[in-house]
Amino acid sequence: MKVAVISRGKPNLQYPLNGIFEFDQAKALAKIGIDVAFIAIDFRARSFKRKYGLFKYECDGVHVFELSLPINVYRRALPILQRLLLIPFRAMLKSFGKPDVVHAHFYSIAAIATIIKKKYGIPLVVTEHSSKINKPASEISDLDKKLASKAYNQCDSLICVSKALADNVLQNFNRDSVVIPDMVDDQVYSYGGKNKNLSPFVYVSVGNLVTIKAFDILIEAFAKVNDDAKLYIIGDGPEKTKLENQIKKLGLEGKVKLFGQLDRLKINEIYQQSHVFVLPSRSETFGVSYVEAMYAGLPVIATRCGGPESFVDDSNGMLVNINDVEALADAMRSMRDNYSAYDPITISEESKKRFSPEVIAEKIVEIYNQIKVL
C-alpha cells in the first residue's frame, strides 16, 4: 500500500518540533511495511531561518517531498495554497507513483489537501489534533469553522486524537470520527531503572511556554509545596520572561530551573533524574508529553483539560481541575508523600502497550483498509 502523508512541516535539528506528530506517524507506517511519501508544505514566516524551494530526499525509510516558502500563511487564500500543494504532490507522482490514500493532519492542512481528492480521486483521511477545534462552537473563529467544515465534509475518514476532541467535533460539525491517540517514540523515552531514593525530590514539566500550558499555575502551586523539592521546566516560548519574574517574586530562583528547548534524548535524561511529571494545562487535545513521561516510568499529575482523562488513572497518576492552585499543590504533596506506591516499570510498560508506534500504526492501517474496501 502507498500512502501520502501531508504535513505543515518536517522536523529537523533546527526545528525539532515542526511536523513532529506527522513525521513520527509516517516513520511508524513505513516501519510496518507501508510505502510512505511525506509531503511537507512549510509556509512559515522568514523569521524561521531555512532554505527555500522544493527538496526531495529519503529519511528514516520515508520519501520526503518538502516545499518551503516564506509566505507566512496556512489558513487564508485557500486556492493559492492548494495550487502550491500541487507542486510537491506532482513531484511525488513522478518518482513515488499514485498513492492509495492521502492522509492529512490538522484541519487547516486538510482543507488544502481536499484539492488532491477532487483532482485525482484519491481517498482522503484526516487526523485532527488542533486545540482550536477542541472548544465550544462559539469560541471557534468563522475562518476555522469554514476550513474545518471543508476538511471534515470531504474526507473519507476522520480521526481524532482523544474522545474529548471527537465529542467536540461531533457537537460542532456533526461529523463522526474514530479515536486513535497520538503515538510516542519508544526508542527514545524509556525507564532507565533510576534510584527511587534520589534526593532532592524533583518535579519535571515539559511544554511550550504559552498561556494554555499554565506554567504560572504550576509555579504558584510549587511555592506552596514548601519543602526542599525542585521543579524543572523544559521548553521555550513567549511566557518565558513573565515566568522568570514570577520565580523571582516568589523567591524560587534556587528551586525552579527553566531549561529552555531540549531535544528528546536530553529530555529523557532529565526524566531519569526526576520523580514526578506535572503539567496543569488549561487545554489538551491529547497530551503527548504526559505519555512520554510515563514511558520513562514517571507518575504524572495532569488536569481534566480534554486529553489526559482518557489515560491518567490511579495506577499512573492524578487528575485535578484546571486553574486550581490549591488542588494542584495538594496533588504534588500527595504524590511526593506516596511516591513509593507508583511502580515505574508498570507505568512504562502499560503506556507502551497503548501508545507505541507499532500499535498506533496498525490502527491507522485498519482505517486505510476500510476505505479501500469501500
Side-chain angles (χ1 to χ4, degrees):
M1 181 188 297
K2 290 188 174 185
V3 175
V5 175
I6 302 182
S7 168
R8 68 218 147 118
K10 159 78 169 53
N12 55 34
L13 291 176
Q14 187 176 9
Y15 301 108
L17 299 181
N18 187 34
I20 188 68
F21 298 136
E22 301 95 303
F23 195 65
D24 278 351
Q25 195 173 105
K27 289 188 296 182
L29 291 168
K31 195 170 182 179
I32 65 170
I34 304 298
D35 200 4
V36 183
F38 189 83
I39 299 175
I41 45 175
D42 188 346
F43 296 153
R44 292 173 299 167
R46 289 183 181 273
S47 57
F48 295 91
K49 302 298 182 183
R50 62 198 192 276
K51 292 182 179 180
Y52 306 131
L54 177 63
F55 307 98
K56 297 176 282 186
Y57 55 95
E58 289 196 20
C59 181
D60 294 323
V62 176
H63 307 273
V64 179
F65 301 83
E66 183 176 1
L67 178 65
S68 179
L69 296 173
I71 61 176
N72 195 26
V73 62
Y74 279 99
R75 298 161 58 246
R76 299 183 184 278
L78 189 61
I80 295 174
L81 297 176
Q82 289 181 325
R83 287 197 291 273
L84 290 173
L85 171 60
L86 291 177
I87 296 172
F89 186 80
R90 287 169 176 151
M92 180 210 68
L93 289 177
K94 291 181 179 179
S95 58
F96 179 80
K98 185 176 179 180
D100 300 294
V101 176
V102 168
H103 190 161
H105 291 256
F106 294 93
Y107 68 94
S108 54
I109 299 298
I112 300 171
T114 57
I115 187 66
I116 295 174
K117 179 179 179 180
K118 179 180 179 181
K119 195 171 185 67
Y120 294 93
I122 302 171
L124 174 64
V125 174
V126 173
T127 292
E128 189 56 84
H129 311 252
S130 181
S131 59
K132 291 183 178 181
I133 301 299
N134 195 28
K135 58 182 69 174
S138 60
E139 299 177 17
I140 303 174
S141 73
D142 289 341
L143 176 59
D144 289 330
K145 287 179 183 176
K146 180 179 178 180
L147 293 175
S149 294
K150 184 176 185 66
Y152 301 161
N153 290 338
Q154 296 191 32
C155 70
D156 296 273
S157 184
L158 176 62
I159 298 169
C160 287
V161 296
S162 70
K163 184 179 183 303
L165 179 57
D167 289 344
N168 275 323
V169 167
L170 179 60
Q171 177 70 30
N172 297 336
F173 299 96
N174 195 32
R175 175 65 199 250
D176 287 317
S177 60
V178 178
V179 176
I180 300 179
D182 283 318
M183 60 181 64
V184 175
D185 190 344
D186 54 7
Q187 300 300 307
V188 175
Y189 298 100
S190 61
Y191 174 59
K194 65 183 181 302
N195 184 355
K196 279 191 171 186
N197 296 317
L198 283 171
S199 182
F201 196 88
V202 176
Y203 301 96
V204 62
S205 192
V206 177
N208 293 324
L209 304 186
V210 292
T211 302
I212 201 170
K213 297 297 182 180
F215 286 112
D216 56 329
I217 298 293
L218 174 57
I219 293 170
E220 187 176 350
F222 177 74
K224 295 177 178 293
V225 173
N226 193 28
D227 60 10
D228 64 349
K230 291 189 179 293
L231 171 62
Y232 295 160
I233 297 175
I234 302 169
D236 204 352
E239 294 280 299
K240 181 179 180 180
T241 300
K242 176 182 175 182
L243 297 176
E244 288 174 336
N245 291 335
Q246 183 184 13
I247 291 167
K248 291 178 183 178
K249 182 178 180 181
L250 293 171
L252 298 173
E253 292 98 323
K255 289 192 168 188
V256 180
K257 182 173 182 179
L258 302 180
F259 280 84
Q261 196 76 52
L262 300 177
D263 63 36
R264 289 170 160 183
L265 289 174
K266 186 60 179 178
I267 292 173
N268 191 59
E269 287 180 18
I270 293 176
Y271 283 162
Q272 307 310 311
Q273 306 164 23
S274 305
H275 296 83
V276 172
F277 180 90
V278 52
L279 180 63
S281 290
R282 295 179 169 103
S283 179
E284 292 280 357
T285 53
F286 175 61
V288 167
S289 58
Y290 300 103
V291 179
E292 290 171 344
M294 289 160 60
Y295 268 35
L298 300 182
V300 303
I301 301 173
T303 47
R304 299 180 181 92
C305 60
E309 298 96 311
S310 64
F311 56 83
V312 176
D313 56 36
D314 292 342
S315 71
N316 56 34
M318 301 177 68
L319 289 165
V320 299
N321 291 331
I322 63 172
N323 295 324
D324 192 332
V325 174
E326 294 297 336
L328 181 59
D330 287 344
M332 294 171 74
R333 281 189 289 264
S334 176
M335 189 77 81
R336 176 200 62 200
D337 296 342
N338 299 285
Y339 179 67
S340 62
Y342 297 94
D343 180 17
I345 296 176
T346 300
I347 290 173
S348 180
E349 290 179 349
E350 291 301 315
S351 299
K352 290 182 179 183
K353 287 179 183 177
R354 296 179 63 184
F355 304 113
S356 71
E358 183 177 358
V359 169
I360 301 303
E362 293 287 357
K363 291 182 179 181
I364 294 168
V365 171
E366 287 180 15
I367 300 295
Y368 296 161
N369 286 330
Q370 291 170 11
I371 289 174
K372 288 182 68 180
V373 169
L374 294 175

